[in-house]
Amino acid sequence: MTAEVRGWFTGRLPEGWFTGAPEIVRDREEIAVVGTLPDPPEDTPEAERAALVEGLARRFREETRERRIEIAREAELRFRQKVSWGVSCGGFTVMFTTLSVPVMTRLRQSERQVLDTLVAAGVARSRSDALAWCVRLVGRNADTWLTDLRDALQHVDRVRAEGPDVDS
């Protein structure tokens, strides 16, 4: 199903928006479309680089807003999921819109104590924020492992798609 989504967006996005094909990330609730903008010149001073990237991202966001909304509405009707947009540029990724989806979990006392420690230390405002912080931390530090796992899941999807049709 991800190939269909990728193909649909690639066909709908205007040429020239991005330097290549956008990254399409889909989960149960949301489709995120992240395109790459041209990098700032290499001789840009480091102090200026982040501000330049922010300016490029804001300009892209404003100049493409109406068309992105139109494409998102079509996609939301077709795929029955919300669409989020973002850009990558100069080593930074800026998301314009994203969903925050509540997730329920059961934690044992020792796990709750970790969250409470993060709240008490001022790292997070609540247990919910602390749990989100932990997930982001694991995501950054386990990036290679998670990438390998996602690649394996994509392979399983391809093999399933090539298999016999059991509904007939």
Side-chain angles (χ1 to χ4, degrees), residues 11-145:
R12 293 295 288 132
L13 294 174
E15 288 185 30
W17 269 16
F18 307 123
T19 59
E23 179 184 7
I24 309 289
V25 179
R26 184 181 192 190
D27 65 11
R28 292 186 297 185
E29 292 84 19
E30 172 180 32
I31 300 169
V33 180
V34 181
T36 302
L37 300 178
D39 284 339
E42 289 190 31
D43 61 347
T44 304
E46 201 58 38
E48 191 178 324
R49 191 174 188 81
L52 178 58
V53 168
E54 182 183 348
L56 291 169
R58 282 180 179 256
R59 182 174 72 198
F60 178 85
R61 182 180 188 182
E62 293 304 319
E63 290 176 357
T64 63
R65 181 184 311 272
E66 288 181 30
R67 187 74 177 110
R68 284 185 299 105
I69 290 171
E70 180 182 317
I71 293 168
R73 283 186 181 142
E74 290 177 38
E76 288 169 4
L77 285 173
R78 180 180 176 111
F79 300 111
R80 301 196 186 287
Q81 289 180 282
K82 289 294 187 183
V83 175
S84 298
W85 296 93
V87 293
S88 290
C89 180
F92 298 94
T93 298
V94 179
M95 294 302 296
F96 306 148
T97 54
T98 56
L99 294 179
S100 288
V101 178
V103 177
M104 294 287 293
T105 187
R106 295 179 189 278
L107 299 176
R108 302 210 183 280
Q109 185 177 38
S110 62
E111 296 160 335
R112 293 189 310 267
Q113 288 174 339
V114 169
L115 300 181
D116 292 341
T117 299
L118 292 171
V119 172
V123 172
R125 293 185 310 258
S126 65
R127 282 181 171 177
S128 177
D129 286 342
L131 186 56
W133 182 88
C134 291
V135 169
R136 284 191 301 273
L137 182 65
V138 168
R140 270 196 303 272
N141 293 322
D143 194 43
T144 302
W145 180 79

Side-chain angles (χ1 to χ4, degrees), residues 1-11 22-28 30-33 78-79 81 150-151 153-158 161:
M1 189 62 122
T2 301
E4 177 188 1
V5 172
R6 185 179 323 287
W8 188 88
F9 274 98
T10 301
E23 179 184 7
I24 309 289
V25 179
R26 184 181 192 190
D27 65 11
R28 292 186 297 185
E30 172 180 32
I31 300 169
V33 180
R78 180 180 176 111
F79 300 111
Q81 289 180 282
R150 287 183 188 109
D151 289 345
L153 289 171
Q154 287 177 348
H155 178 70
V156 168
D157 287 343
R158 282 192 302 274

